[in-house]
Amino acid sequence: MKDSNYNIVHQFLLTLTVNKKLMLTVLTLLITVVTVSAQVVFPDDSAQIRHLYNEALDHGQSYENLRYLTSHIGARLSGSPQAEKAVLWAKLKMDALGLDHVYLQEVMVPHWIRGAKEKAAIVITGEPKISMDVCALGGSIATAGKLRAQVVEVRSWKELDEKDVKGKIVFFNRAMNPEELETFKAYLDANDQRSTGAVEAAKRGAIGTLVRSLTLSKDNLPHTGAMSYDDKIAKIPSAAISTNSADKLSSELKLSPNLTVELEMGCEQLPDVKSYNVIGEIRGSKYPEEIITVGAHIDSWDLAEAASDDGSGFVQTIEVMRIIKAMGIHPERTIRAILYINEENGNRGGLKYAETAKLAGENHLAVIEQDAGGFMPKGFRIEASPQVVAHMQLWQRLLQPYQLHILAFKQRGIDIVPMKNIAKALISVECEDQRFFDIHHSAADTFDKISRRELELGGASMVTLVYLIDKYGL
């Protein structure tokens, strides 16, 4: 270094040492430069993402596909004729897109049927019976006629331990927390009483359970969902009770602690049947061995059309592939769309996909699942190494103009959980959830609850993430 240059640098450093304010300013600028340089993304990304969104909003087919799915096929409980009809329809839709490979992946699934409409009533001596709105929880056994017993109300596991429930029906009346701003968290916090309540009650000698519906709505619609048994514990019938009926039962118990409840359910668990995951691929042009999977589940509960859960994710998954083909995109990596069977009451489709991927030694970059309803997309939840998460966070400035401002930890997809330690990243789509549990697993989950624009925006958000992972890897 020449003496003159050395003197200039020396003087500059001396000035910085003396002037702390100037030094702070320079350091701030350096940090800003480093941060911005780390976030450099090729300038054509913004334009390409805009094109993806334009295609979805101008020519999107998710809404009309959902209309067909709900009106012509409807509820798609695993093992039902409607589920099999949905499998065949999904394959036809993917075949029509001209994908490189469309195929069915065989899966054995549970076959539970609800039977005749359930009946329940509050019985108080000398008074007319008070009807209640109930439905069997998925997987429950029947009542073998009419079950009648006294009721014990509990709002916590501690209360269950403290009360005598032998020979009685346990009424789990712990509501979703209305103070929790994130309703999905409120749902998860209350879900244990539905999933394991029958086992815990039976351990203590109970002969049946009623579980408050997992919704913040006050209505007469019971919300079903999966429950489980332990083969070492006696199996007892388990039903969901609507929030209005739950409140009524609770108030009547305060006035008449010895009242009884009548419950009648005719559900039945039949032998497993053969079904399928539906898979379509666009082979990568540069790194075909690297796979990006995007998917949702085919099956649903049986009380309604299942437009939100998961008809929305179902049609959005197909839409991702349609947009890629319509825009003439030739991905560098293999893009695979999968429609899983049996997410709701067994996760057999997700387990089968992961088992097959592991046996084949496949290289999965990411598995993406949309099971958050057909509402406004807000971002993505990621389960991956800190390095992968940091890599994806560099895309935030590209996603924010589309209100995809959330990149959170702890994904919430059920079907993709078996891919842990196989794929580098497990990613679930995050949607606005304030209305989701108003209709979730109930007769209210119908096509009219879904906004065309929000649905098409969801498909656009999914294909955008696929585009970024394909271009930049993980």
Side-chain angles (χ1 to χ4, degrees), residues 112-326:
W112 177 85
I113 58 174
R114 183 172 300 281
K117 182 174 174 58
E118 303 88 341
K119 298 177 183 178
I122 299 170
V123 182
I124 302 173
T125 303
E127 297 184 19
K129 292 181 181 180
I130 303 171
S131 294
M132 297 188 295
D133 296 298
V134 301
C135 70
L137 289 174
S140 175
I141 64 169
T143 55
K146 190 177 292 184
L147 176 68
R148 181 169 174 174
Q150 286 188 318
V151 177
V152 177
E153 180 180 5
V154 300
R155 297 175 186 267
S156 67
W157 298 118
K158 183 173 183 292
E159 279 191 63
L160 181 63
D161 279 332
E162 293 172 347
K163 295 186 176 182
D164 177 16
V165 301
K166 189 173 182 179
K168 300 175 183 177
I169 295 172
V170 174
F171 169 33
F172 290 98
N173 197 27
R174 173 162 36 105
M176 285 174 58
N177 182 6
E179 296 179 0
E180 175 58 61
L181 296 180
E182 190 180 354
T183 60
F184 211 111
K185 185 176 186 303
Y187 171 80
L188 294 175
D189 288 345
N191 186 53
D192 55 350
Q193 61 192 337
R194 188 189 76 192
S195 61
T196 63
V199 172
E200 295 304 318
K203 283 179 182 177
R204 295 157 176 81
I207 61 173
T209 68
L210 291 171
V211 183
R212 184 186 183 91
S213 288
L214 299 184
T215 177
L216 290 167
S217 293
K218 293 295 184 70
D219 57 32
N220 298 315
L221 300 175
H223 294 232
T224 192
M227 54 82 63
S228 62
Y229 287 120
D230 183 333
D231 289 337
K232 298 176 183 178
I233 306 296
K235 296 181 179 181
I236 60 176
S238 189
I241 179 172
S242 75
T243 50
N244 283 348
S245 289
D247 290 343
K248 180 64 174 175
L249 178 57
S250 182
S251 64
E252 292 294 338
L253 280 167
K254 290 178 176 64
L255 299 173
S256 306
N258 295 320
L259 65 76
T260 59
V261 160
E262 290 180 352
L263 178 63
E264 191 170 358
M265 304 194 306
C267 40
E268 186 178 2
Q269 188 73 52
L270 300 175
D272 289 358
V273 298
K274 185 189 299 184
S275 191
Y276 303 91
N277 292 331
V278 184
I279 300 174
E281 291 181 352
I282 301 174
R283 189 166 174 80
S285 60
K286 191 173 181 180
Y287 310 108
E289 73 285 354
E290 296 185 4
I291 301 168
I292 302 165
T293 297
V294 59
H297 63 88
I298 295 170
D299 63 301
S300 74
W301 287 110
D302 57 326
L303 300 179
E305 300 167 349
S308 173
D309 185 16
D310 190 22
S312 295
F314 186 142
V315 297
Q316 287 168 334
T317 296
I318 296 172
E319 181 70 357
V320 168
M321 306 304 268
R322 186 201 69 79
I323 291 174
I324 292 172
K325 293 293 290 185

